[in-house]
Amino acid sequence: MAEATRIRVRSVIDELGFIRNESARRLRQGPASTSFRPVRTRTLGVVVENIGNPYFTDVAHGAEAAMNADGVDAIWCTSDGSADKESRCLDFLEEQRASGVLITPMDLTQGRIARLRERGMSIVLLDRALPGLCSVRVNHVAGGEIAVSHLLSRGHRRIALVTGSPEREPCRERRLGAERTLRKATISERHQTPGELLHIPRPAMTATEGQLAARRLVERSAPPSAVFCANDLLAIGMVNELLRLGIKIPAEIAVVGYDDIELASTAAVPLTTVRQPRHELGWAATELALTETAEREEHRHRHVVLTPELVIRESA
């Protein structure tokens, strides 16, 4: 570059207050190869399914608290339940030279896992489990058992289960626990009315879908006496619509949710729910990712399973 040109460029830089973007500059080096591994940043990516769901927000807050304690920055991404968007999120984290990723996977293939590993990134699954990866998850079978056991103890035998559709792994496990508990109760109480679990899948696990599910239930010739919703948003929508339709809760229909988000305790009828240790899940996942980053080849994958608990309020 000619000296006169260099001076003009420097003058413009000073005038605009330009600051060089180191991440962008490193991108010019191209992808990692067998002879060069790019320097990792003190950054972890967090890819969750739906940041609009308070459950995922609470998990992210737990992860961020652990990162703050270790001086690590976070890059937040949302897959919105889309495999294509998940792939774009991971592309972005690779470009930013993140040292690892915490992810609720939609379609995390073995090929993509191998590619992330080649880039030197640690991978920790949030509330899922796959062979060869660290994971932190909740025992959702136990969660389903806890919810239905509570309803059985209150004398309910005809119970509706409202879940998302298609069911993802946590919902399937909650349904398994619910079905198993009701089956055991039916076998041990042969002289009583057999228990019945009505499975009602919804296209999304939102408050609006909880409202629509409530309408379907009350239109039945023999409505259930209790409902177990696979998350609190469904349960809050269910409670709101039942009240609007003049149904007394829990006298006519009891409702149990799942998650114990902040809204659960402030609902029109405070929600009985199964509490997930959401903050602890995010914190533990961050610790696993940082440990894997530090240990590299010596790292041994760990699978942490957390236990949910029942929170009894007024809805059931």
Side-chain angles (χ1 to χ4, degrees):
M1 180 184 296
E3 181 63 16
T5 302
R6 188 188 67 78
I7 292 173
R8 287 199 300 272
V9 171
R10 172 54 59 187
S11 175
V12 172
I13 287 174
D14 292 341
E15 180 180 349
L16 296 177
F18 174 79
I19 299 176
R20 183 173 63 187
N21 186 319
E22 284 296 320
S23 294
R25 185 182 68 84
R26 283 196 297 269
L27 290 178
R28 296 185 59 196
Q29 299 171 343
S33 67
T34 55
S35 60
F36 172 75
R37 170 168 287 181
V39 176
R40 296 287 116 199
T41 61
R42 288 282 290 172
T43 303
L44 287 176
V46 183
V47 183
V48 295
E49 183 177 344
N50 178 10
I51 203 66
N53 184 331
Y55 161 77
F56 290 110
T57 305
D58 290 346
V59 172
H61 284 164
E64 185 176 39
M67 292 182 206
N68 288 340
D70 207 78
V72 175
D73 294 322
I75 300 177
W76 308 111
C77 301
T78 307
S79 69
D80 290 327
S82 164
D84 288 341
K85 189 174 181 186
E86 175 183 83
S87 182
R88 294 198 301 272
C89 290
L90 293 174
D91 288 342
F92 175 71
L93 293 174
E94 287 185 43
E95 292 169 358
Q96 296 303 309
R97 305 295 192 252
S99 60
V101 58
L102 318 180
I103 182 169
T104 306
M106 294 294 104
D107 185 33
L108 190 60
T109 65
Q110 290 299 320
R112 174 51 78 117
I113 292 171
R115 175 173 156 181
L116 295 173
R117 293 267 188 239
E118 289 173 0
R119 301 297 195 271
M121 293 176 65
S122 59
I123 309 168
V124 178
L125 303 186
L126 295 167
D127 213 21
R128 302 290 193 276
L130 287 173
L133 293 176
C134 284
S135 63
V136 184
R137 56 195 300 270
V138 174
N139 186 344
H140 296 295
V141 174
E145 292 173 344
I146 289 168
V148 172
S149 292
H150 174 68
L151 292 173
L152 289 171
S153 71
R154 298 298 173 95
H156 299 286
R157 291 297 180 271
R158 185 172 170 80
I159 301 170
L161 171 62
V162 182
T163 68
S165 179
E167 285 187 298
R168 303 202 183 280
E169 182 179 337
C171 279
R172 288 198 302 270
E173 293 179 348
R174 292 166 203 172
R175 178 159 62 94
L176 175 62
E179 291 172 340
R180 178 185 299 173
T181 300
L182 195 61
R183 187 166 53 249
K184 288 180 179 178
T186 299
I187 292 173
S188 64
E189 301 172 359
R190 293 177 182 174
H191 61 288
Q192 296 186 12
T193 302
E196 183 179 4
L197 189 69
L198 308 172
H199 182 212
I200 302 176
R202 303 303 304 170
M205 293 173 62
T206 64
T208 299
E209 288 299 331
Q211 289 180 305
L212 296 174
R215 295 174 199 169
R216 285 189 57 186
L217 288 178
V218 299
E219 290 170 356
R220 300 179 69 95
S221 57
S225 65
V227 184
F228 169 35
C229 294
N231 78 353
D232 284 345
L233 292 180
L234 283 169
I236 290 170
M238 172 73 63
V239 166
N240 290 345
E241 186 64 12
L242 290 176
L243 291 175
R244 192 187 71 80
L245 295 170
I247 306 297
K248 296 178 181 179
I249 300 171
E252 296 180 82
I253 297 181
V255 180
V256 173
Y258 200 101
D259 287 340
D260 195 29
I261 61 176
E262 184 177 0
L263 292 173
S265 63
T266 60
V269 178
L271 193 64
T272 293
T273 187
V274 178
R275 174 185 291 157
Q276 293 202 68
R278 305 172 307 284
H279 187 276
E280 293 87 341
L281 191 152
W283 185 289
T286 295
E287 289 190 330
L288 288 180
L290 295 176
T291 299
E292 181 175 351
T293 300
E295 294 177 349
R296 295 297 180 187
E297 287 76 11
E298 295 78 21
H299 179 73
R300 299 182 63 181
H301 296 302
R302 293 178 56 203
H303 307 284
V304 178
V305 181
L306 305 176
T307 302
E309 60 180 342
L310 182 68
V311 179
I312 300 176
R313 297 192 180 99
E314 298 175 27
S315 68

